[in-house]
Amino acid sequence: MKMGGEGKVYTLAEFSQHNNAKDCWLLIGGKVYNVTKFLEDHPGGDEVLLSASGKDATDDFEDVGHSSSARAMLDGLYVGDIDASTIPTKTKYTPPNQPHYEQDKTSEFVVKLLQFLVPLLILGLAFGIRFYTKSPA
């Protein structure tokens, strides 16, 4: 027999309340799992599970590349499904408008820098030559 109400559908708000070491649920692939009993046995440590609680942990779970036995363990932790209508739709990231980077501006900067530094170098060199060529009286 499965834990909790078999096949129960939870809203995101209900699911999100189970987000601590005494009551930790994960959402993976639209299914809700109570991983509280597994926290201390998780090979990656309990922090990994706790940080993934209260949100959709599907990507976190898949990115790690869990074994088939780890996936089979989930069956025993299943408590229900998430009501997909309560999950906010993901918004596509659109970067802020920024001025287009122009390669030509870099060369302008270098030219201006050289126009400033070259005269300073010449001046420094002139003072250096004068200082070292000055004969003691």
Side-chain angles (χ1 to χ4, degrees):
M1 184 170 138
K2 294 190 181 187
M3 202 171 125
E6 186 170 39
K8 181 165 170 28
V9 177
Y10 297 94
T11 65
L12 185 63
E14 290 171 320
F15 159 77
S16 297
Q17 293 173 5
H18 305 272
N19 62 0
N20 59 67
K22 291 184 169 79
D23 185 20
C24 183
W25 289 12
L26 295 183
L27 174 61
I28 301 170
K31 296 185 183 298
V32 178
Y33 300 94
N34 183 343
V35 297
T36 310
K37 290 185 197 171
F38 187 62
L39 286 175
E40 59 190 49
D41 297 327
H42 185 254
D46 63 348
E47 269 309 308
V48 177
L49 298 177
L50 289 168
S51 68
S53 67
K55 65 183 181 80
D56 188 344
T58 305
D59 290 342
D60 296 335
F61 183 81
E62 296 299 338
D63 288 349
V64 173
H66 284 89
S67 65
S68 54
S69 61
R71 292 174 187 280
M73 263 186 198
L74 284 178
D75 292 339
L77 304 173
Y78 173 79
V79 292
D81 294 302
I82 197 78
D83 180 353
S85 68
T86 64
I87 298 176
T89 55
K90 290 183 181 176
T91 54
K92 186 175 179 270
Y93 173 74
T94 50
N97 286 337
Q98 295 178 334
H100 181 68
Y101 175 74
E102 293 180 34
Q103 185 65 34
D104 296 341
K105 292 204 175 187
T106 302
S107 58
E108 279 180 37
F109 173 75
V110 171
V111 168
K112 286 184 180 182
L113 188 65
L114 288 174
Q115 285 175 341
F116 176 75
L117 290 178
V118 170
L120 281 178
L121 289 171
I122 293 171
L123 194 61
L125 189 61
F127 276 112
I129 291 171
R130 182 172 173 180
F131 177 77
Y132 284 110
T133 59
K134 200 176 198 184
S135 57

